[in-house]
DNA sequence: CTGTATCCTCGTTGATACTG
DNA sequence: CAGTATCAACGAGGATACAG
């Protein structure tokens, strides 16, 4: 059965594929481009918005804010806004967030260990393809 | 230091952010939308193209082929084409691929366990936001 | 400082049609 | 059966400007 249609054959929005795999709805946030890096950084302790911006190189304000809001909504990140001027907002991991951070960090570590292997595989594959383009 | 520029200040292509985090180059394939599902399915044993197409609901031929090629190139999946008519191609996990599959599967399981918690957090967040739109 | 709003580009995806 | 080619649409993401 296709995910693109329900029993009645009506089309579904593309992103509802995840309905068949609820874990993806959680995973896609913690494994997102900036989610991983933010979680990893917060594993180190509480950080301000601008600290995270610097620590996570290359992230735009928009994407950092969006990522933090998503993680906060999911209950992974705790946001504490201090009513001072200039504004100061501290971000930290919740218990569940720390769990998430450790999980993705472990996966990242595993991936990092396999980087040489994977890159070697890619080169071998590309070499093979170049040698016999049509087989 | 921003990832968007190198030491000389020249702009870099957007996706080169990953250069600072090589593990992402591996992660983005195994944690991709269809990559997770394909790996999970192959954890079950060897499958043909059309079997995978059915098993992984909602995937288009194009994306399945693309996903399999990527995973093969990375050395996670072994592709065996039988020279028969009609064509028959078997896909299976390599040892490294099985490692990858187990890793992401473990993460998926963890995520699945947390789904109720996360969804509750989202509802609470949304309720809070609806109650005080501007604070 | 900590965001929000807008515009705009670019990549990814899906549908469709076609080939070996 | 197992893909490849092409096209169109969509959405994520970045740049910029501005607000609280």
């Amino acid at each position: 059965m296709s995910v693109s249609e329900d029993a009645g054959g009506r089309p579904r929005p593309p992103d509802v594929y995840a309905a068949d795999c609820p874990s993806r709805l959680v995973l896609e946030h913690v494994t997102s481009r900036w989610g991983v890096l933010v979680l990893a950084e917060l594993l180190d302790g509480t950080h301000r918005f601008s600290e995270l911006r610097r620590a996570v190189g290359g992230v735009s304000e928009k994407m950092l804010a969006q990522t933090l809001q998503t993680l906060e909504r999911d209950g992974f990140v705790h946001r504490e806004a201090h009513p001072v001027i200039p504004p100061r907002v501290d971000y930290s991991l919740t218990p569940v967030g720390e769990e998430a951070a450790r999980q993705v960090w472990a996966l990242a570590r595993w991936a990092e260990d396999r980087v040489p292997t994977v890159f070697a595989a890619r080169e071998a594959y590309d070499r093979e393809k170049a040698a016999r383009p049509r087989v």
Side-chain angles (χ1 to χ4, degrees), chain A:
Chain A
M1 171 167 54
S2 169
V3 170
S4 301
E5 304 180 347
D6 62 12
R10 284 167 304 174
R12 288 190 203 167
D15 59 316
V16 180
Y17 75 91
D20 287 347
C21 190
S23 59
R24 260 212 110 35
L25 293 172
V26 175
L27 246 18
E28 67 184 350
H29 292 164
V30 300
T31 65
S32 73
R33 178 168 178 176
W34 305 115
V36 183
L37 301 174
V38 167
L39 288 173
E41 193 59 34
L42 289 179
L43 213 43
D44 194 45
T46 300
H47 287 278
R48 306 182 50 174
F49 186 87
S50 52
E51 287 174 351
L52 287 171
R53 183 135 163 61
R54 272 187 299 274
V56 179
V59 66
S60 63
E61 290 184 353
K62 177 187 162 187
M63 289 314 298
L64 181 56
Q66 193 175 109
T67 301
L68 286 168
Q69 280 173 15
T70 302
L71 293 176
E72 186 197 0
R73 188 168 102 103
D74 285 359
F76 294 135
V77 162
H78 174 67
R79 176 179 184 276
E80 184 138 21
H82 301 94
V84 298
I85 303 235
R88 177 196 178 95
V89 182
D90 287 332
Y91 291 94
S92 56
L93 291 176
T94 63
V96 183
E98 188 171 331
E99 219 175 289
R102 293 197 186 285
Q103 283 281 337
V104 299
W105 189 239
L107 182 58
R109 289 264 305 282
W110 172 86
E112 205 157 3
D113 286 347
R114 297 295 169 225
V115 165
T117 306
V118 170
F119 275 60
R122 286 181 193 171
E123 280 184 29
Y125 181 93
D126 293 343
R127 239 188 338 267
E128 186 72 12
K129 283 290 173 185
R132 340 187 202 153
R134 288 274 115 199
V135 179

